[in-house]
Structures are given as structure tokens and as C-alpha cells.
Amino acid sequence: MARASVNSKALLVPILLAGSLSCAHAANAPGSAVVVLGTQAYRWRLSELAGDEAPPARGPVELTLIAPTMGPRVTDSNLRGAAAVQAMLAEVPITIESPEGLSATAMLERKLVNDGSSAAGSLERRDPRERLELRLQQPPQWGLEPYAIDEQLMAAYARDYQARYKKALTRTPGHESDWYIAKSANGRLGTFISCDPPKALQPSLSGRNDPTIAAMDPAQLAGCIHYFTDAKRNLIIQMSYQRTWLKDWKQMEDGVRAQIDRAQVK
């Protein structure tokens, strides 16, 4: 299960979250690179690609776009102070990959359970923080279905954990992720977003008296990891951003899909 986690450095320098699959690269035109995801080729502008190097011969494509429209970056060296901070926070690192051996939907569904880090029948399979079916569905918000930790199940799990391991279960509620999902048109999982609570972090970038950081909204001090699929191309996309943009999740997904449509080599 993926957790959203933001430290003070990440408030100013978004972390690129690399995937594990591959793409072929060939710079066939000035200012662009062709990558292959699965069986489909895409031509990306170099200005959109993350980092200073061209993509590896076989690897996922990594982009940096601007929230919430997901348009390309525009460098402005004249920005200072709070304006520079806000511009940097709007940069969204994105990884696009095509899973091998399974569908993008199946890969996404695996993120809602801790099967990969626990044994069948184990106590850890009952951890309400780690499994969607053990969470409580909340009223819809922004077109998403929120799922909260079930505190009754959590209390029972903590008692059994104490009995099994002879020590108390460690919890840090301020860092226990909020989960959101959305279904695709076919009724299967299409989006999974895991976010830090809004007040999970305290400003300490360059001292607690830093006026730029102190003036920031609590949602800007928390991060989200956002996964969604492009089922028709068998792509899974991962984005990370400040929680402020959570309400714009659908616009951001549509913006990335539009970039994929534009980049696809017909």
C-alpha cells in the first residue's frame, strides 16, 4: 500500500516517483522524444520530461506538469519569495507506465490491500489502515468516495496485536492516510488517492518563523499520491502533489489524459 508522505524539503522540491516498467526512446525530432509504453509509441516534448536527461532506452516516462490544468512548465526566473514557492508547489511530477503481465486496473486494485507485505491469514491482514474493505465509506466529496479508518476495528486490532507481540501497536494518527477512490465507466476501480491529513506536518523549512511557510494553508503542508488508469491503453499513471489540489483531481486526470492523447503517435 502506498502512503502519501511530505517532509519540509518536499514542500519546495517535488519528488519524482519513478515506476518500474520500460519505454523505448528515440529523439526523432528537435525538442521531442519518442517513448514506447506497452505497444504504443508517444512523442513527448523535452520541456515536459522530468530531469535533465532523456528517458532510458526501456523505462517509464516521467513528466512534470503544472496543476491544475496539467499544462507545460513556464520558467520565470523573476519569481521571488511566496510567488516562487507557489509556482514550485504547482509542479506535479507524473510517472506513466504500462504494466507487464496484468491490466492497469488489476495493478491499481493491488494498492488497496496489503497482500504484498503480509501473509494470508496473518494478523496484519486485519489492519484497518491497510485494506479498503476494512475502512468506513464516507459521504462523497468532489466526486470521490472517501474511506476513513474504522476506529472500532482499529481498537480490536490493537488488542490482538498487543496479545500476539507483547507490545503496544504504534500509531501516528496525524500521519495515517485518508483514502479516496473513484470508479471508471465500467464500474471497476479507476482512481485511488492517498493523502496526508491536512495538519499532519508543521512548517520547519527554514525555521518556524519563516513568513512564507507560516502563511501557507495546512493543506499545502500535506501531500497526496494519486493513481489512476487509462484502461484503453493499459496505462497506470501516478502523480504527487500538495493536498490543496485534491478538489481538482478530475481536472488534473483529464489534463494528463489530454497530454497522452496529444503525444500518441498515430
Side-chain angles (χ1 to χ4, degrees):
M1 200 285 293
R3 293 184 180 277
S5 179
V6 173
N7 56 33
S8 58
K9 182 178 180 181
L11 293 175
L12 296 181
V13 183
I15 298 173
L16 297 178
L17 300 170
S20 60
L21 300 180
S22 61
C23 56
H25 165 254
N28 292 335
S32 69
V34 174
V35 300
V36 174
L37 299 171
T39 59
Q40 179 62 52
Y42 302 86
R43 185 184 303 279
W44 300 100
R45 301 185 185 100
L46 295 181
S47 61
E48 295 170 349
L49 297 174
D52 298 324
E53 299 180 358
R58 301 292 299 179
V61 60
E62 298 177 354
L63 310 174
T64 301
L65 300 174
I66 299 300
T69 62
M70 310 315 285
R73 291 175 289 181
V74 177
T75 302
D76 186 348
S77 59
N78 295 319
L79 294 177
R80 295 289 186 274
V85 171
Q86 294 302 323
M88 199 169 293
L89 287 172
E91 293 187 355
V92 178
I94 301 162
T95 300
I96 307 172
E97 56 184 318
S98 181
E100 296 177 351
L102 74 166
S103 70
T105 300
M107 185 175 181
L108 183 60
E109 289 172 344
R110 289 182 177 184
K111 298 183 181 298
L112 300 182
V113 295
N114 62 345
D115 290 1
S117 59
S118 63
S122 66
L123 174 63
E124 285 68 25
R125 288 286 175 94
R126 291 175 44 208
D127 188 341
R129 298 168 295 185
E130 303 284 349
R131 303 186 69 87
L132 183 70
E133 79 272 15
L134 299 180
R135 286 181 170 240
L136 293 173
Q137 185 173 354
Q138 305 297 302
Q141 188 175 26
W142 304 311
L144 294 165
E145 298 176 14
Y147 282 80
I149 295 172
D150 187 325
E151 291 299 332
Q152 289 187 336
L153 290 182
M154 198 69 215
Y157 177 66
R159 289 193 299 269
D160 292 345
Y161 186 96
Q162 173 82 48
R164 173 74 59 84
Y165 297 112
K166 311 304 180 187
K167 63 180 181 179
L169 176 70
T170 300
R171 291 191 67 185
T172 53
H175 293 273
E176 291 176 351
S177 301
D178 298 326
W179 285 14
Y180 302 84
I181 71 166
K183 302 292 182 62
S184 60
N186 63 8
R188 296 189 66 181
L189 180 68
T191 296
F192 168 47
I193 308 174
S194 175
C195 294
D196 289 321
K199 297 182 180 180
L201 303 172
Q202 296 297 322
S204 58
L205 187 63
S206 58
R208 295 184 181 275
N209 295 322
D210 186 313
T212 298
I213 303 302
M216 293 170 65
D217 186 284
Q220 292 180 294
L221 304 178
C224 296
I225 301 180
H226 179 159
Y227 305 90
F228 65 101
T229 62
D230 185 326
K232 68 179 181 179
R233 301 182 181 93
N234 197 38
L235 300 177
I236 185 165
I237 300 98
Q238 176 177 323
M239 307 188 288
S240 62
Y241 48 80
Q242 56 172 318
R243 187 167 176 147
T244 300
W245 302 116
L246 178 60
K247 66 183 184 303
D248 302 301
W249 70 275
K250 186 63 167 60
Q251 180 184 2
M252 293 169 71
E253 284 192 5
D254 290 345
V256 173
R257 288 195 177 95
Q259 294 288 351
I260 294 173
D261 285 340
R262 176 196 57 75
Q264 183 171 338
V265 177
K266 307 301 183 182

